[in-house]
Amino acid sequence: GHQPLTGIVTFLFTDVAGSTTRWEQHPETMRVALARHDEIVRTAIETHGGLVFATAGDQFCAAFSVPADAVRSAVDAQLALVTEDWGAVAPFEVRMALTTGTAEARGGDYFGPPLNRCARLLAITHPGQVLAAEATARLLADIKSEWSLLELGEHKLRDLERPERVFQIVHPRLTAAFPALKSESDRAGAAELLADARQALALEKMRDAYEAYVEADRHLALPAEDLRDYARSAWWTGRIEESMRLRERAYAAFLREQRLEEAALLAIAIAEDAHHRLAAKVSEAWTRRAAELLEGVGESPATGRLLRWQTVLALDVAGDRDQALDLAEQVIAIGRRLSDRNLEALGLQDKGRILVAGGHVREGLGHMDQAMVAAVGGELDVDTTGRSYCNMLNVCDQIADYGRAREWSSAAAAWCEDQSESAYPGICRIYRAELDFLQGSWERAADQTRKAADELSGMKAIAAVAAYQLGVIELRSGRLDEAEHWFNTAHESGHTPLPGLAALRLAAGDVEAARELLAAALSRSSGDPFARGKLLPTWIEVQVARGELDLATEAIVEVESLAEKSGSSFLAASAYHWRGVVALMRGDYPLAVRDLEQAIPMWTELDMPYEGAQSRLALADALHGSGSEETSRLERRLALNTLERLGAPVTG
């Protein structure tokens, strides 16, 4: 063989990442792939005058007399590796490390500190990355080439006293983006932190889990499962953007280990994230990727989750209720066959949402109630429980069934207490804040909604809901300019600013602008009873302000019919309130008193003090018209006290 090199030598060590798992899963393909890998690496080393002095499994150890030749060899090998088609064992990634120093050659092998340093440096290198020790980097500093050096700071290498200043070899045709290096300095402590994180996660203590994962991630290359769980803990502590990035890391890690079902589950979660960020094309691509990964996989939790996501897309994107219902039924059936309570609950919720959207409100809510019982009863995991709760509040919001929302909110309170202080990332926080607002806790509602808007800045579709809600709160508080700002923000992000914006125009005295906005919206929503249910109370208020009492009465009849269909006591109370106001305007005081006295206890039961106060003010006027002065004064005083307590502008 070759004579060993003497004097100052540059060493290159290489190692195939994740090969053990691949050998287990694809023994035949791996045999062929490894032979091709050996050929590529050996050719690159020998072309640049390197000497391969040891191989072990899939590792190469080579020596070079010229440091730049060692780098050229590493770069050529990486370029050939990334362009090769590896088939079933892709991605096929190789770590590489370089050190320079004086070593002792003995019997065709080398010994000495530079080799220990190279092995330790290789241990902290990421798959596909080429690292160089400081001694090598110093000798490369003045060389002009396509590749360049990127300093990564000092790192403590295992069993070595002196920390190493580490450099990455960067090349325009190779990826330069790798996670931070995991030094050996605190690996024992980090392993302990990782155990703490897993324990906290098992107990659903999300904040503790997140904090332990952050620290462990600084010092250890986290396994794929831990990256996935780290992403969950970030989500549940309101760090939505960070959670998305961690999911992508976990996806890549599962893919590297050829664990396709786990990778597919993450692809589905990432598709959902992209959907909420209104990145439709990105969402489609990840959904396709999940389907490709699951091709040929039989019935499993992963294929069930993909069907579940396709149910959501059929309902919320394509608007195809029949297809969505068929898919939801399949999801429920798979959940039952696999005894997967979480999958079954998700299917039940989706079936409920689809039936409600099709006007079968009571039947749909019955399915959603079933899922909620499982959630509140502790039968489901934390993610499905949170999702069940959000979906229920979302549907109650759509059909204006705030009574049901409040009941489920109370039932879920114990579960909420067990979660971290930020157990409501995103949309859940908005719906809870809306309930707080309706129940008169305006400051807390504004605070929670701002927090949600902040957390969700990357998820436009949901952040827009928060912006709209802030507009409503500012409008009620009499801050019209701020309300205008938030309604515009919601509108820019694709959320309708109505009926809030119309109510704002009415409050500012521009009755015709309010009428025009609502007339257009009502004509667009002719086939959607729930969208109309949201708009009609403000439309009635506008017609009353215009003196068009027949038009107001026509709309009240529609609200009564919607209240009957949906079982919404909010709409029923609204109908009584406006019937009373119209009777008051017509001078029929006894009828006005009768209807308003029906509305008030309904508002009390719903715990909606602002609406109750408005009905009391109208009742005070009706009683005054009937000549019941003392009772009129009592009702007015009660109403004004409530409005003052809420922080609403008080007139009259």
Side-chain angles (χ1 to χ4, degrees), residues 255-472:
L255 206 56
R256 271 201 294 275
E257 293 175 19
Q258 289 293 295
R259 293 165 64 183
L260 303 187
E261 288 194 49
E262 285 101 332
L265 283 167
L266 281 153
I268 295 161
I270 296 165
E272 201 166 348
D273 291 339
H275 169 71
H276 289 311
R277 277 153 59 197
L278 303 184
K281 290 281 173 274
V282 177
S283 180
E284 280 167 33
W286 279 103
T287 304
R288 258 198 318 277
R289 187 74 188 105
E292 285 162 11
L293 290 169
L294 293 172
E295 244 168 59
V297 173
E299 194 167 274
S300 74
T303 54
R305 290 296 172 128
L306 179 61
L307 266 183
R308 193 267 152 177
W309 174 232
Q310 287 164 339
T311 309
V312 173
L313 293 176
L315 178 63
D316 297 340
V317 178
D320 186 338
R321 284 203 291 265
D322 293 339
Q323 192 204 359
L325 193 58
D326 177 51
L327 287 167
E329 298 279 15
Q330 290 180 49
V331 171
I332 296 166
I334 292 173
R336 285 177 181 155
R337 282 197 293 274
L338 297 175
S339 301
D340 185 334
R341 294 290 282 128
N342 293 301
L343 189 58
E344 184 188 345
L346 290 169
L348 282 167
Q349 284 169 52
D350 290 333
K351 184 177 180 180
R353 290 197 312 132
I354 296 156
L355 289 168
V356 168
H360 305 285
V361 178
R362 283 186 174 80
E363 189 190 345
L365 287 172
H367 289 295
M368 296 194 78
D369 284 344
Q370 255 183 289
M372 278 302 289
V373 166
V376 173
E379 296 171 43
L380 310 178
D381 67 26
V382 62
D383 299 291
T384 312
T385 301
R387 200 174 282 249
S388 307
Y389 184 52
C390 282
N391 281 339
M392 178 56 97
L393 290 185
N394 181 5
V395 166
C396 290
D397 180 67
Q398 281 171 11
I399 64 175
D401 191 346
Y402 300 114
R404 179 184 294 264
R406 198 186 69 234
E407 283 174 30
W408 275 123
S409 199
S410 304
W415 175 79
C416 307
E417 289 308 312
D418 291 341
Q419 302 312 312
S420 69
E421 66 203 58
S422 297
Y424 294 101
I427 197 80
C428 294
R429 196 189 294 285
I430 296 169
Y431 292 131
R432 272 191 66 79
E434 185 180 14
L435 286 176
D436 282 342
F437 169 67
L438 292 172
Q439 290 166 18
S441 303
W442 291 6
E443 268 179 48
R444 185 169 65 191
D447 178 52
Q448 289 297 300
T449 309
R450 280 199 182 84
K451 197 166 180 178
D454 209 33
E455 283 167 3
L456 295 163
S457 54
M459 300 173 82
K460 284 187 189 152
I462 305 177
V465 179
Y468 178 80
Q469 186 61 30
L470 283 167
V472 174

Side-chain angles (χ1 to χ4, degrees), residues 513-564:
R515 188 204 63 79
E516 192 186 309
L517 284 168
L518 287 167
L522 282 164
S523 71
R524 282 196 302 273
S525 66
S526 56
D528 184 344
F530 302 124
R532 294 180 73 76
K534 289 269 196 189
L535 298 167
L536 284 167
T538 312
W539 172 255
I540 296 165
E541 189 178 357
V542 168
Q543 297 308 339
V544 166
R546 295 174 73 228
E548 294 282 357
L549 302 184
D550 289 346
L551 285 175
T553 304
E554 206 177 287
I556 291 165
V557 171
E558 190 179 346
V559 171
E560 285 167 337
S561 148
L562 283 172
E564 177 61 33

